[in-house]
């Protein structure tokens, strides 16, 4: 990392640490939900932004994570084990969902994943004996760590922050590893990647598996945060919301999903003072952004930067942007 | 330049500062967008009208009421955040939410903070969780269903029933309660049709009910779905009596379904056409202000506003704990608190009871067929 970027990341982390101090419960709750959606969006960014595989099932994977954690913690098992189980379950199911992606691409793949999300929703709702059906599951405990309770909102925020930083670290590592470069090659030109000896098959499956595992962690955090889950919290509309986060923030950029999640979760709250108009203003802002900058907010920032400082060598790998 | 900037910021800050004269803050958290918007908006407008009148009548204990409004977007997670926000802003009592799946979540937060909450939800589970701070503004479906089933069996002589219900927390609660009654009165369930929230095409469901050989169709759907169902039933000339709860024959449903609603009947806890002078007057004031006919949700909201005023004045202070304690086992009569419109009682779980009505829709209006005693 270049020193400037290292400094900025340091400032960012410090800001996240002080952000909730002195705030009301509501702001802390919203910040926590921003962090956990960032984790899920980071996963989708890996699948979509880096590996170029369209997935409309991310909320479904959050659901799997949330239900596994809820059922295990309600049975008295510690959150840590439940979270590991959630992440592993999502990894495995993500691996399986990757198989159709070997055959179909782009919008066909979107339909396949969409069907998967809907199927999952129906299973969650109809298997009432296990999942509680449309009544959902209520009262998941917030975890304790060596006597440190996360029951209060502020403590829970810091707990979420730790998970978020760990997830971001793992994501950073994946992207810097040969895997990360292989994912990008898969997105940019799969045929050439294969000709260079990359195993496209394995890479496609892994793109789904890793992306889903992040959603599993997000789900494992959502259970104790909201302390209530029901199937419709993981419906298709929420998958689209996650897709919006990735695209608005900037697909294929490391910080894109965090920014996108901030826009999708926090901006409607900021605009709420406009009362009945806030959804309209919000929608218009998103449309304008997408028209002017398909690379999302980060892409827009880069465009402005290049415009102010011409002569810079622009990043070439993402010139086309992510193709849906 | 800097001075100008500072000056402008000061003006903006001054304008956005909350008014300081109000002391009693009430949080109104309802579904103003999303699938629950029809019911939520009615409830919110009722609450608003109620507190405007309370303020005009001198407020609560001489203090003006400040109503803080939040939109839950019909999303349980958002509703929880909104209740959290209301508590942060120091509300005395919360009104809302209407959808049961939202209430089930956010009542936990209000309970932890010890804040009384008046919900418009009707799922039986809400008052069965032992939360001492939750109070209903209409009875749960486990109270309404025995009344409907009894009427169906004894007055209409129905034996075979087709049931169409919403596969949501709301629908399942009612479905369970109805099935229990069906056993007691010996109804034969000839068709059992679950439907989706926000479903638009009911043709298959209507056909199934029509061909089932039932004597009547029991419909338990939320408002907009009920209207769609009724329209489809008219199209296929179903030829069976359609019986339901409040959500089948509410004002909103009649407005949306038009003449397809004629002939539908059912049990309502509250209705604009009850023939009770206090209710009719409230409905007239509501119509004058908002330009539409209020449904039962609006009346629920309105009565909760007045209940808050009367009970607070009974305990003599804005003490949340004393308020919750007083509500349990309380009977509030329309004579001592005219704003509650009808005599109402709350039991130890926050469940309410009062008289209710069996109505049929005729000529686009509800007509009361029978007044059913409280149970």
């Amino acid at each position: 990392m270049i020193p400037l970027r290292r400094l900025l990341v340091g400032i960012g982390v410090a800001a996240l640490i002080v952000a909730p101090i002195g705030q009301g419960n509501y702001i802390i709750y919203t910040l926590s939900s921003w962090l956990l959606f960032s984790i899920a969006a980071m996963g989708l960014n890996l699948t979509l932004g880096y590996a170029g595989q369209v997935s409309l099932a991310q909320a479904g994977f959050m659901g799997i994570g949330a239900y596994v954690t809820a059922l295990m913690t309600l049975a008295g098992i510690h959150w840590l084990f439940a979270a590991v189980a959630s992440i592993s379950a999502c990894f495995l199911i993500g691996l399986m969902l990757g198989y159709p992606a070997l055959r179909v691409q782009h919008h066909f793949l979107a339909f396949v994943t969409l069907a998967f999300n809907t199927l999952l929703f129906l299973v969650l709702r109809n298997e009432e004996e296990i999942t509680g059906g449309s009544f959902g599951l209520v009262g998941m405990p917030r975890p304790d760590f060596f006597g440190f309770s996360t029951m209060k909102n502020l403590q829970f925020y810091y707990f979420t922050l730790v998970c978020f930083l760990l997830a971001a670290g793992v994501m950073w590592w994946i992207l810097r590893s040969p895997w990360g470069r292989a994912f990008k090659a898969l997105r940019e030109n799969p045929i050439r990647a294969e000709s260079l000896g990359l195993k496209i098959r394995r890479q496609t499956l892994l793109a789904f598996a890793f992306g889903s595992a992040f959603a599993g962690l997000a789900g494992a955090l959502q259970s104790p945060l909201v302390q209530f889950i029901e199937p419709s919290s993981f419906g298709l509309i929420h998958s689209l919301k996650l897709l919006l986060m990735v695209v608005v923030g900037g697909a294929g950029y490391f910080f894109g999903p965090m920014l996108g999640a901030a826009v999708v979760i926090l901006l409607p709250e900021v605009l709420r003072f406009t009362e009945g108009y806030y959804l309209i203003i919000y929608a218009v802002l998103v449309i304008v952004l997408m028209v002017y900058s398909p690379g999302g907010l980060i892409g827009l920032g880069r465009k402005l930067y290049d415009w102010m400082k011409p002569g810079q060598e622009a990043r070439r790998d993402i010139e086309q942007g992510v193709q849906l | 330049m800097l001075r100008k900037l500072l000056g402008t910021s000061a003006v903006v800050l001054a304008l956005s500062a909350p008014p300081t004269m109000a002391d009693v803050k009430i949080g109104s958290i309802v579904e103003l967008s999303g699938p629950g918007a029809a019911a939520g908006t009615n409830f919110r407008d009722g609450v608003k009208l109620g507190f405007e009148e309370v303020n005009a009548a001198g407020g609560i204990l001489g203090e003006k009421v400040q109503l803080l409004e939040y939109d839950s977007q019909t999303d349980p997670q958002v509703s929880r955040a909104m209740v959290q926000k209301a508590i942060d802003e120091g509300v005395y009592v919360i009104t809302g939410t209407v959808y049961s799946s939202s209430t089930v979540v956010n009542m936990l937060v209000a309970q932890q903070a010890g804040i009384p909450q008046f919900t418009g939800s009707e799922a039986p589970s809400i008052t069965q969780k032992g939360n001492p701070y939750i109070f209903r503004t209409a009875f749960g479906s486990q109270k309404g269903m025995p009344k409907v089933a009894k009427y169906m069996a004894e007055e209409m002589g129905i034996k075979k029933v087709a049931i169409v219900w919403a596969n949501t927390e709301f629908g399942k609660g009612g479905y369970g309660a109805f099935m229990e009654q069906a056993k007691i009165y010996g109804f034969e369930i000839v068709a059992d049709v679950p439907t989706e929230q926000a479903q638009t095409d009911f043709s298959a469901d209507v056909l199934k009910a029509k061909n089932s050989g039932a004597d009547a169709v029991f419909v338990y759907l939320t408002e907009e779905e009920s209207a769609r169902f009724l329209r489809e039933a008219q199209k296929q000339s179903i030829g069976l009596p359609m019986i339901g709860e409040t959500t089948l024959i509410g004002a909103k449903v009649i407005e949306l379904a038009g003449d397809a609603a004629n002939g539908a009947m059912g049990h309502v806890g509250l209705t604009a056409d009850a023939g009770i002078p206090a209710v009719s007057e409230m409905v007239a004031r509501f119509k004058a202000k908002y330009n539409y006919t209020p449904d039962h949700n609006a009346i629920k909201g309105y009565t909760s506003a007045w209940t808050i005023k009367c009970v607070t004045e009974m305990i003599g202070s804005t003490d949340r704990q004393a308020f919750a304690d007083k509500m349990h086992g309380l009977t509030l009569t329309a004579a001592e608190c005219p704003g509650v419109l009808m005599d109402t009682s709350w039991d130890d779980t926050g469940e309410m009871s009062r008289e209710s009505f069996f109505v049929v829709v005729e000529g686009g209006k509800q007509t009361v067929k029978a007044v059913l005693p409280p149970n």
Side-chain angles (χ1 to χ4, degrees):
Chain A
M1 259 197 279
I2 53 171
L4 176 68
R5 188 174 288 180
R6 206 172 288 178
L7 182 72
L8 286 177
V9 169
I11 293 173
V13 173
L16 286 178
I17 292 172
V18 293
I21 294 171
Q23 301 288 352
N25 277 323
Y26 165 70
I27 306 254
I28 300 174
Y29 178 88
T30 310
L31 285 173
S32 306
S33 86
W34 166 53
L35 287 179
L36 82 86
F37 273 104
S38 292
I39 298 175
M42 260 195 295
L44 183 60
N45 191 30
L46 183 73
T47 318
L48 174 79
Y50 284 96
Q53 307 295 317
V54 185
S55 168
L56 286 181
Q58 196 72 349
F61 284 106
M62 271 179 86
I64 295 174
Y67 271 91
V68 168
T69 304
L71 289 169
M72 287 179 72
T73 49
L74 283 174
I77 299 167
H78 194 269
W79 180 87
L80 210 57
F81 300 105
V84 171
S86 300
I87 295 169
S88 321
C90 287
F91 187 88
L92 290 176
I93 299 171
L95 210 56
M96 284 188 259
L97 187 68
Y99 275 96
L102 300 172
R103 299 241 164 217
V104 291
Q105 280 290 308
H106 303 306
H107 44 282
F108 298 106
L109 183 56
F111 282 124
V112 170
T113 51
L114 182 152
F116 172 78
N117 206 135
T118 310
L119 187 76
L120 196 79
F121 169 78
L122 291 174
V123 169
L124 289 178
R125 200 189 60 192
N126 294 337
E127 291 306 312
E128 203 171 320
E129 263 119 66
I130 308 167
T131 63
S134 46
F135 295 116
L137 296 169
V138 173
M140 280 71 79
R142 290 184 174 177
D144 280 330
F145 293 95
F146 311 109
F148 174 79
S149 161
T150 59
M151 200 51 218
K152 289 245 163 67
N153 278 325
L154 188 63
Q155 279 97 319
F156 194 83
Y157 170 82
Y158 285 118
F159 163 61
T160 317
L161 181 60
V162 169
C163 293
F164 166 77
L165 291 176
L166 284 176
V170 170
M171 179 59 77
W172 181 256
W173 171 75
I174 291 176
L175 294 176
R176 303 277 289 176
S177 72
W179 272 335
R181 284 189 281 279
F183 284 142
K184 281 183 228 169
L186 178 66
R187 176 192 65 199
E188 292 302 316
N189 195 334
I191 297 170
R192 182 172 292 176
E194 185 137 45
S195 73
L196 290 170
L198 258 180
K199 290 200 175 61
I200 296 237
R201 210 182 144 77
R202 189 186 67 184
Q203 221 53 43
T204 310
L205 295 181
L206 279 182
F208 273 93
F210 279 129
S212 311
F214 277 84
L217 174 62
L221 287 166
Q222 192 176 15
S223 262
L225 173 69
V226 189
Q227 294 182 304
F228 170 76
I229 49 173
E230 55 144 12
S232 54
S233 306
F234 308 105
L236 183 63
I237 182 86
H238 294 274
S239 278
L240 292 173
K241 224 173 175 179
L242 282 160
L243 185 69
L244 185 68
M245 288 177 196
V246 172
V247 175
V248 162
Y253 293 105
F254 184 76
F255 293 103
M258 295 128 190
L259 196 63
V263 171
V264 174
I265 295 205
L266 305 179
L267 191 64
E269 298 301 318
V270 176
L271 289 176
R272 209 174 277 279
F273 75 94
T274 58
E275 301 213 335
Y277 294 103
Y278 77 93
L279 284 175
I280 298 173
I281 297 175
Y282 173 67
V284 168
L285 283 177
V286 170
I287 291 171
V288 169
L289 176 73
M290 285 297 95
V291 168
Y292 282 98
S293 173
L297 283 172
I298 297 208
L300 186 70
R302 265 176 198 276
K303 257 190 195 166
L304 287 176
Y305 186 76
D306 291 342
W307 178 70
M308 283 190 294
K309 273 195 155 180
Q312 290 262 331
E313 181 62 23
R315 190 171 146 185
R316 286 279 171 84
D317 67 323
I318 201 161
E319 250 172 11
Q320 285 193 345
V322 176
Q323 310 261 313
L324 286 185
Chain B
M1 178 68 192
L2 186 67
R3 193 183 295 169
K4 202 170 177 185
L5 195 68
L6 283 176
T8 324
S9 332
V11 171
V12 169
L13 276 177
L15 284 177
S16 61
T20 46
M21 71 263 185
D23 272 331
V24 182
K25 286 185 187 168
I26 305 289
S28 159
I29 300 143
V30 286
E31 293 75 3
L32 299 178
S33 56
T41 310
N42 254 291
F43 191 88
R44 190 266 316 256
D45 289 345
V47 170
K48 234 172 147 174
L49 179 70
F51 279 118
E52 269 169 27
E53 290 179 17
V54 165
N55 275 340
I60 295 178
L61 295 169
E63 309 269 7
K64 283 262 181 288
V65 175
Q66 186 191 356
L67 193 62
L68 306 173
E69 285 183 8
Y70 309 91
D71 175 13
S72 80
Q73 301 172 20
T74 326
D75 180 345
Q77 193 167 349
V78 177
S79 85
R80 178 176 172 147
M82 290 297 127
V83 168
Q84 198 87 261
K85 188 172 187 185
I87 293 169
D88 286 351
E89 289 174 0
V91 296
Y92 165 53
V93 177
I94 288 168
T95 58
T97 41
V98 179
Y99 269 44
S100 307
S101 48
S102 292
T103 308
V104 169
V105 196
N106 61 42
M107 66 189 242
L108 296 173
V109 184
Q111 181 182 11
Q112 274 168 17
I115 293 181
Q117 181 178 6
F118 283 86
T119 174
S121 307
E122 294 174 11
S125 60
I126 286 171
T127 47
Q128 289 162 0
K129 291 189 194 295
N131 180 340
Y133 297 97
I134 194 90
F135 304 100
R136 274 201 220 271
T137 51
F139 19 75
S141 44
Q142 84 279 22
K143 283 229 161 190
M145 289 303 169
K147 293 189 183 188
V148 193
K150 188 165 184 235
Y151 191 88
M152 283 168 74
E154 290 174 2
E155 304 286 326
M156 299 174 71
I158 286 164
K159 300 254 171 342
K160 292 180 188 171
V161 180
I163 175 164
V164 180
W165 51 289
N167 199 349
T168 60
E169 171 130 27
F170 155 81
K172 256 191 190 159
Y175 173 76
F178 184 80
M179 287 311 231
E180 248 171 56
Q181 295 304 316
K183 251 183 244 154
I184 296 171
Y185 290 98
F187 295 144
E188 186 190 340
I189 305 294
V190 287
D192 186 337
V193 189
T195 67
E196 301 295 321
Q197 180 163 335
Q199 180 171 326
T200 46
D201 180 13
F202 283 96
S203 48
D205 307 302
V206 168
L207 196 65
K208 228 185 254 173
K210 189 181 169 186
N211 293 342
S212 65
D215 301 328
V217 191
F218 186 78
V219 186
Y220 200 68
L221 305 170
T222 34
E223 277 88 351
E224 289 178 35
E225 287 76 16
S226 290
R228 290 184 204 127
F229 183 87
L230 288 172
R231 277 180 174 270
E232 185 61 38
Q234 186 194 35
K235 217 156 100 194
Q236 299 194 19
S237 22
I238 194 165
L240 294 171
M242 281 175 293
I243 306 165
E245 257 287 333
T246 322
T247 47
L248 179 67
I249 41 193
K252 190 78 203 169
V253 182
I254 297 176
E255 185 193 319
L256 293 172
D259 58 352
N262 289 338
M265 55 183 95
H267 165 259
V268 286
L270 291 159
T271 166
D273 302 311
I276 296 171
V279 177
S280 313
E281 283 161 26
M282 178 257 152
V283 169
R285 289 196 298 276
F286 189 97
K287 267 190 184 161
K289 187 165 163 52
Y290 297 108
N291 231 348
Y292 69 93
T293 309
D295 74 355
H296 65 112
N297 283 308
I299 307 176
K300 283 187 214 170
Y302 179 83
T303 50
S304 67
W306 278 95
T307 308
I308 293 169
K309 175 184 162 76
C310 295
V311 175
T312 309
E313 294 189 337
M314 279 175 170
I315 57 175
S317 71
T318 52
D319 178 34
R320 298 183 180 104
Q321 190 57 46
F323 185 97
D325 293 343
K326 180 81 191 171
M327 282 295 296
H328 291 121
L330 177 74
T331 298
L332 210 52
T333 61
E336 58 182 336
C337 184
V340 298
L341 306 177
M342 291 163 68
D343 296 357
T344 310
S345 313
W346 284 270
D347 70 6
D348 288 340
T349 61
E351 183 63 54
M352 72 162 1
S353 68
R354 67 178 158 212
E355 279 184 339
S356 58
F357 311 90
F358 198 86
V359 302
V360 60
V361 180
E362 282 167 356
K365 271 190 83 174
Q366 292 179 354
T367 315
V368 176
K369 277 184 108 178
V371 178
L372 310 173
N375 60 352

